[in-house]
Amino acid sequence: MGTFFFWMVAAAVLAIVEVLTLWIWSICVAAGAVVAGIVSLSGCSFPVQIITLALGSLIFFLVFGRMLQRWHERRASRHKGYFDTNMDELMGRRTVVTEATTPRAPARVRIDGDNWQVRTSDSRPLSEGEEIEITGYDSIVLICRPVGSK
């Protein structure tokens, strides 16, 4: 009965690792640990339980891994390779330029307490106090247009 609890604790820890890391191998080994725990109840030796762990993990990976791959491919085809980022949350936001464009640096703005570099798509200089709307981004530099222009 002691090894059964060992396998259940191992499965629980691996399930937590899966939730925190999203590594598919950890949930597969957790499933194998559950199978090894069930086998331990029948009185099988520890080496047999280890073999059961390995086989259960492999079988779960072969079944679950393919399902996950198909799910990922369907999701990618629906979104055509596009995945949202936190930067997308800035699109359409309006703010005021806090530091004007200089010959050596882009303008700067503050959004939700964060300081961002910002430039227009046509590289037009921005003045301090000018109101802008975020329209895109290039790496960590926000692209904007002055409010009032189309």
Side-chain angles (χ1 to χ4, degrees), residues 81-93 111 116-121 133-145:
Y82 176 80
F83 294 98
D84 290 340
T85 67
N86 289 338
M87 295 286 285
D88 296 322
E89 297 298 318
L90 299 174
M91 299 306 109
R93 298 282 301 269
I111 300 175
W116 294 91
Q117 293 181 348
V118 64
R119 66 175 175 80
T120 60
S121 58
E133 181 179 347
I134 307 303
T135 60
Y137 58 91
D138 181 16
S139 186
I140 60 169
V141 178
L142 300 177
I143 310 299
C144 70
R145 70 170 180 82

Side-chain angles (χ1 to χ4, degrees), residues 67-139:
M67 287 179 9
L68 183 63
Q69 182 180 8
R70 283 193 300 266
W71 173 80
H72 177 70
E73 288 169 355
R74 279 194 310 269
R75 183 171 184 255
S77 69
R78 250 192 332 261
H79 296 287
K80 297 189 180 18
Y82 176 80
F83 294 98
D84 290 340
T85 67
N86 289 338
M87 295 286 285
D88 296 322
E89 297 298 318
L90 299 174
M91 299 306 109
R93 298 282 301 269
R94 288 186 175 193
T95 188
V96 175
V97 176
T98 57
E99 293 179 32
T101 305
T102 67
R104 293 189 172 182
R108 297 193 80 83
V109 298
R110 290 190 73 75
I111 300 175
D112 296 334
D114 293 321
N115 192 345
W116 294 91
Q117 293 181 348
V118 64
R119 66 175 175 80
T120 60
S121 58
D122 60 0
S123 299
R124 169 182 135 5
L126 295 167
S127 306
E128 187 174 331
E130 189 173 0
E131 187 177 7
I132 59 155
E133 181 179 347
I134 307 303
T135 60
Y137 58 91
D138 181 16
S139 186

